[in-house]
Amino acid sequence: MGTFYVSCLLLVLVCFSPASSLQIDPCKQLCQCSGRNLMCQWHVAGSSLPGNKTKITLELSFTHISVKVIPSRVFRGISEDVATILISESDSIEKIEVNAFEDLPNLTELLIRNTKHLLHIENGAFSNLPRLKFLSICNTGIRVFPDVKNVFSSQLNFILEVYDNIHVTTIPPNAFQGMNSEPLTLKLFRNGFVDIKSHAFNGTKLDQLFLNDNHNLGLMHSDVFKGATGPNRLDISSTALEFLPSYGLEPIQVLVAESSYSLKKLPPLDRFVHLVEAKLTYPSHCCAFRNVRMKEPNSLLLLFENFTKQCDNTPRMYTNDTMTKDEFFNLSSWYEEHNISQTFASSNFDDEIPADYDYICNPKKLTCIPEPDAFNPCEDIMGYDFLRIMIWFISILAIAGNAVVLFVLLTSHYKLTVPRFLMCNLSFADFCMGLYLLLIASVDSQTKNQYYNHAIDWQTGSGCSAAGFFTVFSSELSVYTLTVITLERWHTITYAMQLDRKIRLRHAIMIMFGGWLFSLIVALLPLFGVSNYIKVSICLPMDIETTLSQAYIIFTLVLNVVAFIIICACYIKIYIAVQNPELTTTNQDTKIAKKMAVLIFTDFTCMAPISFFAISAAFKVPLITVTNSKILLVLFYPVNSCANPFLYAIFTKAFRRDFFLLMSRFGCCKTQAELYRVNHFSAYTSNCKIDHSCGGSKKSSRADIHLTTFDCQYSTATIKVTAKKEDYNY
């Protein structure tokens, strides 16, 4: 009765439609969809009806069925009529047996979707499906890649979809061999792939290969495309791939690798001989392709010297992209003379012959996104050769000078005074700046002319983060220490006669502890998402995309400006104080004040252009490019780090005394050391005699009071503070 009903229905459809596709519920009319196995035993003879010149095809949709197994040859009774099979939304199906979809000669679409309990698809389940165009296996629980090698489809534009199968971790070798002999599209996204084995695509003609959103995919074997033709389009977006395969990239015309943050290096660029479009993650990779196109113009144009000149000198375009017979024969003979295959497809013509004029005169250029921006221009870390030389000189000078000062001060047998302690902090800060410059110079030397292939590793790695930390920490600590040095000297002069207000070493330690803590916080914030060090190749915190990052940059720069104003105000007061006619001043006092004013103004004059341009950029009004800012970075930014150890210490008498005394311990410079010992003892006894011989208090200049380092004994009649002026610069 059921067969008769279906046959009558098919007859009605045939009579009123020249061609039709019948959508039925197979579980109600053709198959038994209960129990353990699916059973389809009836035959629908739609195509054999008398006088019928059309074909009836069946579209079977199995949804929410309760069977556990799709058995072998389950559709053999209706094999001639089935065009589409959909199996979906089933929580019961666990297994598809071998030959389950075998010999369905008219099957064009097979979809298995949303069957999360489907654990096994036996090898050979999809066999001998010559007209299959679309095979979809999505959102299942299978553990191994489905066997599709015996499909033997002969259809053009075959599409295989295998996605949302999170338990499938590997694509094995020869996984698609025998599936289709024509160009095909593989959509293999959002699976659990970890690796793709060697020769995985052997025996296929790949048109498009989509591997995007396989977040765990970290390895494609170097020979993964061996034995395959193509692909023309490769999409590896949002994967964990670190390297592209070294073989089989030549046919790729479109490469999509967006959000592939682990892909930091590209293969040799000569592998991408046919690439015309690239959508990548990092702008520096587009720099690579830009440089190649600049260095290696279209080789065909180089051969066509005479024709190229005609392209340049002749503004006309051929009407309807054609050229005359004479022009064609002239160009064809040139081809033959130079053994070049012709690009013209037609040899039969009447009056005109089509020519690929645009290909010859207007060759396509590779398009690549994201394009390099203002923060990442296509250049090495040091944009200019003279900067590459200067940065080595400045970094070595800063490291050597500050290291010597630190060593001498920390090993001196003299008492550690407040000025000495502050000078140690300043030298350490400037030493860190030298380390930053040395690190930048080293990386620039290693990546010269190939920075595009190292940019991501450098800017996103620990090296750039360390360099950025060093420069921000050293810069802030240096500014803070200079400010404290200036305030300490102003305070000492202002309250010289109030010994209870004298700054002790413990006070200085507490103050500098606050400076270290502040500098560490400011340097660590970019490592925790407040701005960052990866924005530019020189690892400065230039990211102002968020309000918090912008506020951080502006706050830091404005704070440095405020420190400069404080230092200027303090030294103006110091200078005025030593010029007070009511005090007994000497030329030495004025000389010292002027010297310190020169020191501070020199330091902050070097920082002024940095602060000015950085503040303007922080308000999103950049006045110079990143390339030009590197000139400021090398020639201005670190100058105080190089100058401070010389101006504050090495050029002073006190430092030279400490240096020669230290060297005498190692058996060197004993004569100079002995002279400094004698001079020091003579000056010490002279000061003490003066203190005891004076009947009244002797008026001292404020510079004398401020410069106190070594105190003589205070007499009971008067209290007087004396010191050696050569210790001032400590």
Side-chain angles (χ1 to χ4, degrees):
M1 183 68 182
T3 304
F4 175 78
Y5 172 78
V6 172
S7 299
C8 292
L9 180 60
L10 291 176
L11 181 61
V12 171
L13 291 172
V14 169
C15 294
F16 290 93
S17 175
S20 59
S21 177
L22 183 61
Q23 298 182 5
I24 64 174
D25 185 347
C27 291
K28 293 182 178 179
Q29 302 177 24
L30 296 176
C31 305
Q32 180 179 349
C33 301
S34 61
R36 179 174 177 82
N37 294 337
L38 177 69
M39 298 179 63
C40 300
Q41 298 179 344
W42 294 276
H43 176 70
V44 180
S47 60
S48 60
L49 294 173
N52 179 23
K53 296 182 181 180
T54 64
K55 183 162 183 67
I56 299 298
T57 58
L58 298 178
E59 298 181 4
L60 308 181
S61 177
F62 299 91
T63 59
H64 303 286
I65 59 175
S66 58
V67 299
K68 292 186 177 182
V69 177
I70 306 289
S72 300
R73 299 180 177 83
V74 65
F75 301 104
R76 62 182 180 274
I78 52 174
S79 60
E80 296 292 332
D81 305 291
V82 178
T84 301
I85 297 177
L86 169 63
I87 302 174
S88 67
E89 309 295 338
S90 174
D91 293 331
S92 300
I93 297 178
E94 298 177 356
K95 181 179 180 181
I96 297 178
E97 294 183 347
V98 61
N99 300 325
F101 304 100
E102 183 186 32
D103 293 329
L104 296 174
N106 295 310
L107 184 67
T108 58
E109 295 184 1
L110 175 57
L111 301 89
I112 303 171
R113 294 178 172 176
N114 302 321
T115 54
K116 294 184 178 181
H117 291 86
L118 176 59
L119 303 180
H120 304 286
I121 299 179
E122 293 185 352
N123 292 343
F126 312 102
S127 301
N128 194 22
L129 303 173
R131 299 191 63 183
L132 189 66
K133 290 185 177 181
F134 184 59
L135 174 59
S136 178
I137 304 172
C138 309
N139 195 21
T140 69
I142 58 176
R143 263 58 179 174
V144 297
F145 195 84
D147 175 31
V148 294
K149 294 190 291 292
N150 298 320
V151 171
F152 301 130
S153 173
S154 59
Q155 298 299 303
L156 293 173
N157 302 318
F158 183 94
I159 298 175
L160 172 65
E161 275 188 351
V162 179
Y163 65 86
D164 286 335
N165 303 288
I166 61 175
H167 301 294
V168 180
T169 59
T170 300
I171 300 180
N174 306 308
F176 310 94
Q177 191 174 26
M179 183 177 66
N180 186 274
S181 58
E182 301 295 333
L184 55 89
T185 297
L186 300 181
K187 298 182 178 181
L188 312 175
F189 46 87
R190 293 203 303 270
N191 296 291
F193 297 150
V194 175
D195 65 340
I196 303 178
K197 301 298 185 181
S198 174
H199 295 82
F201 303 99
N202 181 35
T204 61
K205 295 180 180 179
L206 292 173
D207 180 24
Q208 300 183 79
L209 175 59
F210 296 89
L211 294 168
N212 51 296
D213 298 308
N214 290 292
H215 299 290
N216 298 321
L217 179 58
L219 176 63
M220 288 179 69
H221 195 277
S222 59
D223 294 332
V224 69
F225 292 123
K226 271 199 172 180
T229 303
N232 297 319
R233 180 188 180 96
L234 175 62
D235 190 339
I236 55 169
S237 300
S238 300
T239 63
L241 287 172
E242 297 182 4
F243 303 98
L244 286 174
S246 57
Y247 177 87
L249 301 178
E250 291 80 5
I252 296 177
Q253 299 179 27
V254 179
L255 175 64
V256 183
E258 297 174 309
S259 300
S260 297
Y261 298 104
S262 298
L263 185 63
K264 300 175 182 179
K265 283 189 176 183
L266 295 176
L269 300 181
D270 56 4
R271 304 290 174 84
F272 298 99
V273 293
H274 292 104
L275 190 66
V276 295
E277 181 180 356
K279 298 179 180 179
L280 308 176
T281 304
Y282 300 108
S284 59
H285 288 163
C286 287
C287 289
F289 293 116
R290 175 189 294 184
N291 293 339
V292 167
R293 287 304 182 270
M294 291 173 62
K295 294 178 181 178
E296 300 177 8
N298 192 309
S299 58
L300 184 62
L301 289 180
L302 294 179
L303 296 174
F304 285 94
E305 294 180 0
N306 295 331
F307 195 80
T308 303
K309 293 179 181 179
Q310 182 180 353
C311 291
D312 295 335
N313 298 328
T314 305
R316 73 182 180 90
M317 289 287 291
Y318 296 107
T319 306
N320 297 325
D321 294 325
T322 59
M323 66 192 314
T324 64
K325 292 180 183 179
D326 293 338
E327 290 170 327
F328 175 76
F329 280 123
N330 290 337
L331 190 58
S332 299
S333 62
W334 195 94
Y335 273 122
E336 295 176 359
E337 181 182 348
H338 291 82
N339 296 321
I340 300 175
S341 60
Q342 298 184 24
T343 60
F344 304 100
S346 175
S347 59
N348 297 321
F349 49 81
D350 295 326
D351 296 326
E352 293 180 333
I353 294 179
D356 199 345
Y357 179 91
D358 285 337
Y359 180 76
I360 298 175
C361 289
N362 299 304
K364 291 183 178 179
K365 295 182 179 179
L366 187 149
T367 59
C368 184
I369 57 173
E371 295 182 354
D373 56 17
F375 291 99
N376 291 282
C378 293
E379 63 184 20
D380 292 333
I381 296 180
M382 292 290 101
Y384 303 97
D385 289 335
F386 79 94
L387 291 181
R388 184 171 285 117
I389 298 172
M390 289 297 298
I391 194 172
W392 279 102
F393 174 77
I394 294 174
S395 62
I396 293 174
L397 190 63
I399 291 175
N402 288 287
V404 169
V405 171
L406 275 172
F407 181 72
V408 172
L409 291 179
L410 294 177
T411 57
S412 175
H413 67 280
Y414 290 106
K415 181 182 178 181
L416 182 63
T417 61
V418 171
R420 287 172 179 267
F421 172 73
L422 295 178
M423 189 60 214
C424 287
N425 283 271
L426 183 61
S427 295
F428 180 79
D430 294 337
F431 180 81
C432 290
M433 178 62 72
L435 291 179
Y436 161 73
L437 293 173
L438 183 63
L439 186 56
I440 292 291
S442 300
V443 175
D444 175 66
S445 177
Q446 294 174 4
T447 62
K448 183 181 178 182
N449 297 328
Q450 286 190 339
Y451 180 68
Y452 64 84
N453 229 7
H454 302 274
I456 313 309
D457 272 334
W458 165 242
Q459 291 181 219
T460 62
S462 58
C464 193
S465 297
F469 174 84
F470 276 127
T471 186
V472 173
F473 172 77
S474 64
S475 176
E476 295 308 308
L477 184 59
S478 180
V479 171
Y480 183 91
T481 307
L482 285 171
T483 307
V484 172
I485 289 174
T486 307
L487 289 171
E488 185 270 335
R489 286 169 175 169
W490 169 80
H491 180 273
T492 302
I493 289 179
T494 304
Y495 302 101
M497 302 306 297
Q498 302 179 32
L499 297 181
D500 59 325
R501 303 190 67 169
K502 181 181 178 181
I503 297 178
R504 308 291 181 182
L505 183 59
R506 64 177 183 273
H507 300 148
I509 292 175
M510 294 177 61
I511 292 171
M512 288 310 303
F513 176 78
W516 276 68
L517 185 62
F518 167 76
S519 301
L520 284 172
I521 292 174
V522 172
L524 286 173
L525 283 176
L527 300 179
F528 291 93
V530 182
S531 191
N532 59 66
Y533 293 125
I534 70 175
K535 189 74 172 180
V536 293
S537 61
I538 52 180
C539 307
L540 294 178
M542 291 188 176
D543 184 9
I544 55 173
E545 296 300 322
T546 66
T547 303
L548 184 60
S549 298
Q550 187 179 19
Y552 161 78
I553 299 296
I554 295 174
F555 170 77
T556 305
L557 295 171
V558 170
L559 201 62
N560 292 343
V561 173
V562 171
F564 171 67
I565 295 172
I566 292 173
I567 291 174
C568 290
C570 288
Y571 270 93
I572 290 173
K573 288 189 175 184
I574 293 173
Y575 185 78
I576 294 173
V578 298
Q579 294 294 329
N580 192 334
E582 296 180 0
L583 297 175
T584 302
T585 60
T586 64
N587 291 333
Q588 185 70 9
D589 296 328
T590 304
K591 182 179 179 180
I592 290 172
K594 290 181 178 179
K595 185 176 181 180
M596 292 311 304
V598 170
L599 289 171
I600 300 303
F601 277 101
T602 301
D603 292 336
F604 279 86
T605 299
C606 294
M607 296 181 64
I610 294 286
S611 299
F612 174 74
F613 289 113
I615 290 175
S616 68
F619 283 102
K620 299 185 178 181
V621 187
L623 301 178
I624 60 174
T625 64
V626 170
T627 302
N628 293 331
S629 69
K630 294 174 183 178
I631 299 176
L632 300 179
L633 173 75
V634 175
L635 300 183
F636 291 90
Y637 187 49
V639 166
N640 57 347
S641 298
C642 298
N644 284 342
F646 294 92
L647 298 178
Y648 277 81
I650 295 176
F651 290 161
T652 66
K653 292 181 181 179
F655 181 86
R656 290 197 294 271
R657 178 199 65 205
D658 289 349
F659 176 78
F660 286 121
L661 291 176
L662 176 63
M663 295 302 294
S664 67
R665 298 181 190 178
F666 300 98
C668 302
C669 308
K670 290 185 177 181
T671 303
Q672 292 88 339
E674 192 62 31
L675 288 174
Y676 277 107
R677 286 193 185 97
V678 172
N679 292 337
H680 172 68
F681 179 76
S682 299
Y684 180 84
T685 55
S686 176
N687 284 334
C688 290
K689 288 179 180 179
I690 292 173
D691 285 344
H692 289 288
S693 63
C694 294
S697 62
K698 179 179 178 292
K699 184 178 287 187
S700 300
S701 70
R702 295 191 180 186
D704 282 333
I705 297 169
H706 168 68
L707 300 175
T708 300
T709 302
F710 304 100
D711 297 337
C712 292
Q713 300 295 326
Y714 292 101
S715 65
T716 57
T718 61
I719 300 176
K720 182 179 180 180
V721 182
T722 60
K724 294 184 178 181
K725 293 188 188 314
E726 60 264 27
D727 286 339
Y728 180 85
N729 287 320
Y730 281 166

